[in-house]
Amino acid sequence: MTDPNVPPAISAFVATLPKVELHVHIEGTLTPELRWRLAQKNEIALPYATYEALLASYATMYNHRRELHGDNGLPTFLEAYYGGMEVLRTEDDFYDLAMEYFAKAKEMNVRYTDPFFDPQAHTRRGVPLEAVMRGFERAGRDAKEKYGVVVGWTMCFLRDMPVEDAVATYEAALWAAAQLGSNEYDRPPRLFADIFQRARKDGYKITAHCDVGQKDTHEHVREVATSCVGGMQGADRIDHGLNAADQPELLALVKARGLGLTLCPHAYHRRLPTDWVFGSIKKVWEAGVPFSVASDDPTYMHQQWVTENLGKVMHYCGFAKKDMAKIQRDGVAMSWAPDDVKRAILDELNEFEKGCK
């Protein structure tokens, strides 16, 4: 699904822009084609009799939160998201999932990405942690060699699961940055303060979701920006966090802490007014708070990948080409890429901008 309001010239420009993608859930890139193939390979029954029926299910505007908005008879986003994971069983399944995204990333001129992955969502289904980790780790290595995409994985703790399970998962898998995701309803970041402080001491980067429109979202942003997550300096960045634009003092706190936001515009635009979404992004921009633009869960969000999200931002915010290049530079600065990778991307952006009129 493309946004008919975004001019073709903007779409063409953002397609060629060298990019980083800092907010994409690898399980949220599971295509209907791969899901169907893995279901057949692993002999898993899907609730769809035909591939066409499965494909049609991806076009549904999923009810975002039943606990807030009631039950409309459709699966919530998280139900669809976790339901898709049922086909992922072996190391090769996780490898194939990641490599399919990395091939897409190359097509979109993504130079660096640090995808989120949800080990607890797989181990609670009986999938060995080793299968998850080895599949993704192998794909990360092959992505650089085959596609020229540098990968830095970010492991998520599911905040709607017990904190003790997050601790056990952390101890079993100690090679990724740490993130807090899944359903935030009545699960504030401070519940996980101890494990994040431990991760900080172990030298890991830290971030957390502060979902847009979530209950207590402003307090969640405040907690992530301060000592409740990651020690006295707070997290290293905030995922989503756009509601900080609602409160000038909160936006000022985020800026003072030197935090950037990873924004996924279509994730908000699919359920919130255009003026609020892009007006809030403009407030963040005007306040001088850095942000990157990413896709979140593109296959479950109308096939809106990082290019489509950037096109929306450029069009609805009225940004110039140089502004779009700055967003990528800010993303590079916010990223956890090695310094040599950062320098290479920045050099490429400088050359790219010279050719922009």
Side-chain angles (χ1 to χ4, degrees):
M1 185 187 76
T2 58
D3 189 326
N5 296 315
V6 177
I10 286 180
S11 298
F13 169 76
V14 298
T16 61
L17 183 66
K19 305 171 185 68
V20 296
E21 180 155 43
L22 309 183
H23 190 139
V24 58
H25 298 264
I26 197 68
E27 293 92 348
T29 69
L30 179 63
T31 62
E33 295 88 348
L34 183 58
R35 184 177 174 186
W36 184 260
R37 177 166 65 82
L38 293 180
Q40 292 180 316
K41 177 180 83 77
N42 294 326
E43 298 181 342
I44 297 170
L46 296 177
Y48 309 100
T50 65
Y51 171 73
E52 289 71 25
L54 171 63
L55 187 63
S57 75
Y58 276 67
T60 303
M61 180 66 77
Y62 293 113
N63 183 32
H64 194 68
R65 289 192 200 89
R66 187 174 293 130
E67 68 269 21
L68 288 181
H69 304 302
D71 188 353
N72 65 0
L74 297 174
T76 65
F77 161 71
L78 286 176
E79 287 170 342
Y81 173 72
Y82 290 121
M85 294 184 199
E86 290 295 324
V87 302
L88 299 169
R89 298 298 175 90
T90 70
E91 176 182 329
D92 284 344
D93 296 344
F94 292 100
Y95 176 86
D96 290 347
L97 169 67
M99 289 302 287
E100 189 172 85
Y101 165 67
F102 296 141
K104 177 75 172 179
K106 175 180 171 59
E107 293 176 5
M108 298 186 297
N109 288 309
V110 172
R111 304 295 187 251
Y112 172 84
T113 180
D114 46 22
F116 304 131
F117 69 104
D118 293 338
Q120 292 165 285
H122 307 299
T123 55
R124 69 185 178 188
R125 298 185 291 112
V127 176
L129 180 62
E130 293 79 6
V132 181
M133 304 294 281
R134 288 174 182 169
F136 286 153
E137 187 174 24
R138 180 158 56 97
R141 292 196 304 268
D142 288 354
K144 183 176 182 180
E145 180 177 344
K146 187 172 182 179
Y147 300 125
V149 177
V150 180
V151 180
W153 292 101
T154 301
M155 180 176 67
C156 292
F157 302 129
L158 302 188
R159 65 205 301 163
D160 50 1
M161 291 186 67
V163 175
E164 295 77 14
D165 194 82
V167 173
T169 301
Y170 175 81
E171 291 175 345
L174 293 177
W175 57 264
Q179 206 269 3
L180 191 62
S182 196
N183 193 346
E184 303 173 29
Y185 192 80
D186 284 337
R187 299 291 288 173
R190 64 178 178 274
L191 295 176
F192 295 80
D194 289 345
I195 190 170
F196 276 122
Q197 290 178 18
R198 177 176 173 182
R200 173 74 72 200
K201 290 178 181 177
D202 289 340
Y204 290 99
K205 298 290 188 180
I206 294 169
T207 183
H209 272 46
C210 295
D211 204 1
V212 172
Q214 179 62 271
K215 178 185 178 184
D216 301 322
T217 186
H218 300 102
E219 183 55 32
H220 290 183
V221 172
R222 196 178 310 278
E223 289 181 13
V224 173
T226 57
S227 59
C228 289
V229 173
M232 290 307 296
Q233 70 266 48
D236 295 285
R237 66 183 186 224
I238 299 175
D239 295 313
H240 299 310
L242 187 57
N243 286 110
D246 300 336
Q247 300 179 359
E249 69 279 8
L250 189 56
L251 201 56
L253 171 64
V254 172
K255 182 178 181 179
R257 292 283 180 169
L259 300 176
L261 309 180
T262 64
L263 302 180
C264 307
H266 181 70
Y268 327 137
H269 195 212
R270 68 196 177 104
R271 57 189 173 86
L272 293 169
T274 299
D275 289 348
W276 184 87
V277 172
F278 298 99
S280 297
I281 293 174
K282 284 293 292 290
K283 288 180 182 178
V284 172
W285 172 271
E286 291 164 357
V289 173
F291 63 86
S292 71
V293 174
S295 60
D296 208 359
D297 301 278
T299 58
Y300 294 103
M301 295 179 177
H302 312 113
Q303 299 293 332
Q304 298 288 284
W305 297 79
V306 64
T307 49
E308 287 80 12
N309 277 273
L310 283 164
K312 282 176 173 282
V313 168
M314 188 173 184
H315 172 64
Y316 289 110
C317 291
F319 286 155
K321 291 179 179 179
K322 62 180 178 60
D323 299 328
M324 303 305 293
K326 182 182 185 305
I327 290 172
Q328 294 308 312
R329 287 195 187 89
D330 288 344
V332 171
M334 290 164 52
S335 78
W336 299 326
D339 288 343
D340 61 328
V341 174
K342 289 185 176 184
R343 286 194 297 270
I345 301 173
L346 290 174
D347 288 345
E348 186 179 6
L349 281 166
N350 289 337
E351 289 301 312
F352 178 85
E353 196 168 8
K354 290 178 183 177
C356 296
K357 296 180 180 180

